[in-house]
């Protein structure tokens, strides 16, 4: 036993040393594993980060390719329009705007055409849920201009260089076909070198024909949205997109220079809805296209909805210019309402029409389709020359002509 104990005593220190060595190796292995995991994690993070950058670069290239395709073919597929709208960025927008400006200048040079807007009635039989002059807005202060007041506005405008007068109003039954015909005839007799544009809503084909026969040259009727379900979210049940489209079809067949368009950023609108709008306009092939940002009115159900943005509106002006190189595209008052430089931005994105107000000053604040509308207190001359200075400040000039549509040359 004594001999055995002596041998065991010799082994204990060796066993302890062996165990310590094993533990040290385990600790080193654990540290190595931890280091490997850290390195692996950092490597994956780097890969993810750079893969994201690579994807963004690839996406920019793909979107720029869509813009180039649009310039060439003047239309895209619906999913391509959605991608273009959803993937826009500052660099992409600049690429688009440069092409849009070149397209507009190819047909119209650096000219911007002025239209004299005469808002002659704010009565309306409709109850469009986004509109400040809808029939059920009890707070609206209603007015109607007399024929003589309308002619006086034209006289003022003619002296300021306007050669197009735009008669705009709600769908007011007071102005019968007979009255509209008489107003058109009086304007054309007094100013035979001027164009008359009507923007008075949905009518029968017979009414449109009668206005055209009286001398009306153009008609503006925004379709607002080309998606039936979206249309139903913005209008009461008695109104229909189908009838809206029927009106536009009739107007084109009769021979008007026809304008249509839509709101940008309207309640519930998606990129898919906008793509449908663009595809409908491609089908319609209007001569004029008016788009502007949705701006809420405090007496509507959409009071708490956000306005559309100037950024998306001017981007879509650029898109429309590539789709319709020779179209007449206004930079709207609503765009100027949400951005102090909005109308200049619109022109720089491809728009070539502005519409200063010729309505009597005492009624301008009553024609309030949306809140905070600009230029409601300016005299006609102030509005006209203020607009000229703005346009000249970005290298364009006001054209004192009718500014008719120029057909595309291929």
């Amino acid at each position: 036993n004594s001999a055995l104990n002596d041998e065991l005593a010799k082994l204990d220190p060796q066993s302890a040393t062996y165990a310590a060595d094993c533990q040290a190796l385990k600790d080193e292995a654990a540290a190595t594993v931890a280091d490997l995991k850290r390195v692996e994690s950092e490597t994956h993070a780097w890969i993810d980060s750079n893969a994201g950058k690579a994807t963004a670069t690839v996406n920019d290239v793909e979107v720029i390719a869509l813009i180039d395709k649009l310039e060439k073919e003047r239309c895209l597929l619906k999913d391509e329009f959605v991608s273009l709208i959803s993937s826009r960025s500052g660099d992409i927008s600049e690429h688009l705007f440069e092409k849009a400006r070149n397209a507009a200048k190819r047909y119209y040079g650096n000219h911007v055409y002025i239209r004299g807007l005469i808002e002659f009635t704010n009565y309306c039989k409709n109850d469009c849920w986004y509109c400040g002059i809808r029939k059920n807005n009890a707070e609206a202060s209603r007015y109607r201009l007399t024929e003589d007041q309308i002619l006086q506005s034209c006289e003022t405008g003619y002296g300021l260089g306007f050669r197009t007068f735009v008669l705009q109003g709600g769908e007011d039954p007071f102005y019968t076909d007979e009255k509209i015909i008489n107003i058109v005839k009086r304007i054309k007799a007094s100013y035979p070198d001027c164009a008359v544009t009507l923007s008075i809503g949905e009518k029968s084909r017979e009414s449109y024909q009668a206005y055209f026969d009286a001398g009306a040259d153009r008609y503006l009727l925004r379709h607002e949205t080309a998606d039936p379900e979206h249309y139903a979210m913005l209008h009461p049940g008695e109104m229909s997109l189908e009838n809206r489209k029927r009106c536009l079809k009739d107007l084109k067949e009769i021979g008007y220079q026809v304008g249509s368009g839509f709101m940008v950023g309207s309640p519930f609108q998606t990129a898919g809805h906008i793509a449908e709008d663009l595809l409908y306009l491609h089908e319609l092939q209007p001569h004029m296209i008016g788009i502007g940002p949705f701006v809420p009115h405090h007496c509507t159900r959409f009071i708490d909805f956000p306005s559309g943005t100037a950024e998306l509106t001017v981007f879509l002006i650029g898109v429309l210019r590539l789709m319709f190189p020779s179209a007449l595209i206004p930079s709207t008052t609503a765009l100027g309402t949400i951005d102090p430089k909005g109308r200049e931005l619109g022109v720089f994105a491809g728009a070539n029409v502005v519409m200063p107000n010729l309505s009597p000053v005492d009624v301008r604040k009553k024609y309030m389709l949306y809140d905070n509308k600009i230029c409601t207190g300016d005299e006609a001359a102030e509005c006209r020359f203020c607009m000229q200075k703005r346009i000249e400040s970005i290298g364009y000039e006001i054209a004192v002509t009718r500014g008719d549509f120029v057909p595309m040359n291929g």
Side-chain angles (χ1 to χ4, degrees):
N1 289 336
S2 174
L4 181 59
N5 288 337
D6 289 341
E7 290 299 320
L8 289 173
K10 292 177 184 179
L11 289 174
D12 280 344
Q14 294 177 359
S15 297
T17 301
Y18 177 77
D21 289 344
C22 287
Q23 186 60 49
L25 288 172
K26 287 181 180 178
D27 291 343
E28 287 179 16
T32 301
V33 170
D35 285 342
L36 287 172
K37 287 184 176 179
R38 176 180 56 78
V39 171
E40 181 183 33
S41 177
E42 290 175 355
T43 302
H44 282 304
W46 183 89
I47 291 171
D48 290 343
S49 174
N50 284 274
K53 291 176 183 177
T55 301
T57 303
V58 170
N59 283 345
D60 283 355
V61 171
E62 290 174 349
V63 175
I64 287 173
L66 287 178
I67 292 172
D68 296 342
K69 178 182 177 181
L70 181 63
E71 180 185 34
K72 181 181 179 181
E73 300 183 10
R74 299 185 185 137
C75 196
L76 299 173
L77 301 174
K78 181 178 178 179
D79 62 342
E80 291 176 325
F81 274 130
V82 171
S83 294
L84 178 60
I85 295 162
S86 302
S87 303
R88 66 190 189 278
S89 67
D91 290 342
I92 289 169
S93 294
E94 285 308 312
H95 181 75
L96 171 66
F97 297 156
E98 182 179 3
K99 288 182 175 292
R101 287 192 296 272
N102 290 338
K105 287 180 178 180
R106 198 156 57 240
Y107 289 92
Y108 298 104
N110 68 338
H111 288 163
V112 174
Y113 299 95
I114 53 171
R115 316 302 201 198
L117 181 63
I118 303 171
E119 298 162 334
F120 68 99
T121 175
N122 72 345
Y123 283 85
C124 190
K125 69 178 185 179
N126 296 324
D127 201 32
C128 302
W129 292 330
Y130 51 82
C131 184
I133 64 169
R134 63 193 181 87
K135 70 177 181 181
N136 285 329
N137 179 9
E139 293 188 20
S141 177
R142 305 292 180 177
Y143 74 92
R144 293 184 177 107
L145 298 185
T146 66
E147 288 187 18
D148 288 343
Q149 285 177 306
I150 293 171
L151 268 292
Q152 179 59 54
S153 296
C154 292
E155 181 180 346
T156 299
Y158 193 85
L160 293 170
F162 290 91
R163 295 298 179 266
T164 290
F165 303 116
V166 180
L167 302 184
Q168 180 173 298
E171 293 190 24
D172 184 355
F174 173 83
Y175 289 96
T176 61
D177 285 355
E178 182 180 0
K179 289 178 180 176
I180 295 296
I181 290 167
N182 194 51
I183 291 168
V184 171
K185 284 183 174 179
R186 287 184 64 184
I187 294 173
K188 296 295 280 191
S190 299
Y191 309 102
D193 57 334
C194 292
V196 173
T197 301
L198 297 177
S199 180
I200 52 177
E202 298 177 13
K203 305 287 183 180
S204 68
R205 185 185 179 105
E206 291 72 26
S207 294
Y208 289 145
Q209 186 69 60
Y211 308 153
F212 186 77
D213 293 343
D217 302 278
R218 308 174 188 143
Y219 205 103
L220 306 180
L221 183 68
R222 284 185 177 181
H223 66 273
E224 301 298 6
T225 173
D227 183 273
E229 292 184 4
H230 188 217
Y231 191 92
M233 295 177 182
L234 305 176
H235 302 86
E238 63 269 19
M239 299 183 69
S240 73
L241 178 59
E242 181 182 6
N243 190 57
R244 199 80 165 177
K245 289 183 175 181
R246 187 273 307 166
C247 291
L248 287 161
K249 181 174 180 290
D250 287 348
L251 289 163
K252 278 209 74 179
E253 290 176 352
I254 288 168
Y256 284 93
Q257 291 183 41
V258 175
S260 191
F262 56 92
M263 291 184 290
V264 178
S266 60
F268 316 112
Q269 186 182 65
T270 66
H273 292 143
I274 296 173
E276 291 287 352
D277 290 322
L278 297 173
L279 289 169
Y280 171 67
L281 289 171
H282 177 71
E283 175 189 340
L284 179 65
Q285 290 293 307
H287 310 91
M288 303 169 285
I289 305 161
I291 67 170
F294 163 76
V295 183
H297 189 282
H298 66 281
C299 289
T300 69
R301 64 177 61 187
F302 299 131
I303 179 176
D304 294 322
F305 280 70
S307 295
T309 66
E311 179 269 328
L312 179 54
T313 303
V314 297
F315 185 83
L316 291 171
I317 287 174
V319 169
L320 288 164
R321 176 56 69 197
L322 292 191
M323 292 179 67
F324 305 94
S326 71
L328 294 157
I329 301 177
S331 192
T332 63
T333 303
L335 186 52
T337 295
I338 65 169
D339 189 301
K341 294 287 186 180
R343 286 173 292 183
E344 292 94 321
L345 291 171
V347 171
F348 217 56
N352 62 340
V353 173
V354 291
M355 295 198 287
N357 205 323
L358 292 178
S359 306
V361 175
D362 63 336
V363 302
R364 289 200 198 164
K365 290 184 179 180
K366 298 178 181 180
Y367 199 85
M368 203 63 64
L369 305 181
Y370 48 84
D371 286 346
N372 304 312
K373 182 180 176 184
I374 58 172
C375 300
T376 57
D378 296 342
E379 293 290 345
E382 289 180 286
C383 204
R384 155 73 168 86
F385 291 111
C386 171
M387 183 61 65
Q388 180 172 333
K389 288 179 181 178
R390 285 175 171 269
I391 296 305
E392 290 176 349
S393 74
I394 56 172
Y396 288 76
E397 63 181 82
I398 294 293
V400 185
T401 68
R402 282 172 48 118
D404 286 304
F405 171 76
V406 176
M408 285 192 297
N409 52 17

